[in-house]
Amino acid sequence: MMKISAVISRFPEHELAVHRLCGQDSGFREICEDYEEALVALRHWEQAGPVYATRAVEYRQIIGEIEADIQSELSTHLQRAPQGGT
């Protein structure tokens, strides 16, 4: 099962494009799965206490980088999509 619910939650306006890209592009699927895993890790480090605050900051940065990658892939896909399609 694809792990894309977090990506769809983050980019709800592009849900159809996310589904299409996941069906067509294994690299995009991997990015989506990485995003889900990074969010799980962030929650873990946030709950681990203040001693691990640095780790949580690192994961927030990683998540930001993955979000930028996802946005870039979505933008590229949407530019290539036929007029009116997502």
Side-chain angles (χ1 to χ4, degrees), residues 6-7 19-20 30 50 59 76:
V7 174
H19 282 285
R20 284 184 179 166
E30 288 179 23
Y59 272 92
T76 299

Side-chain angles (χ1 to χ4, degrees), residues 25-75:
D25 185 339
S26 62
F28 185 76
R29 266 192 314 274
E30 288 179 23
I31 293 171
C32 292
E33 290 174 359
D34 290 346
Y35 185 69
E36 295 262 352
E37 291 172 14
L39 287 172
V40 169
L42 173 61
R43 282 187 226 112
H44 168 78
W45 292 117
E46 286 177 335
Q47 294 173 0
V51 174
Y52 298 101
T54 301
R55 220 27 159 161
V57 168
E58 291 171 356
Y59 272 92
R60 281 189 204 95
Q61 182 178 357
I62 291 167
I63 288 167
E65 292 169 2
I66 296 171
E67 285 178 349
D69 289 345
I70 291 168
Q71 184 64 54
S72 175
E73 291 290 327
L74 287 170
S75 293

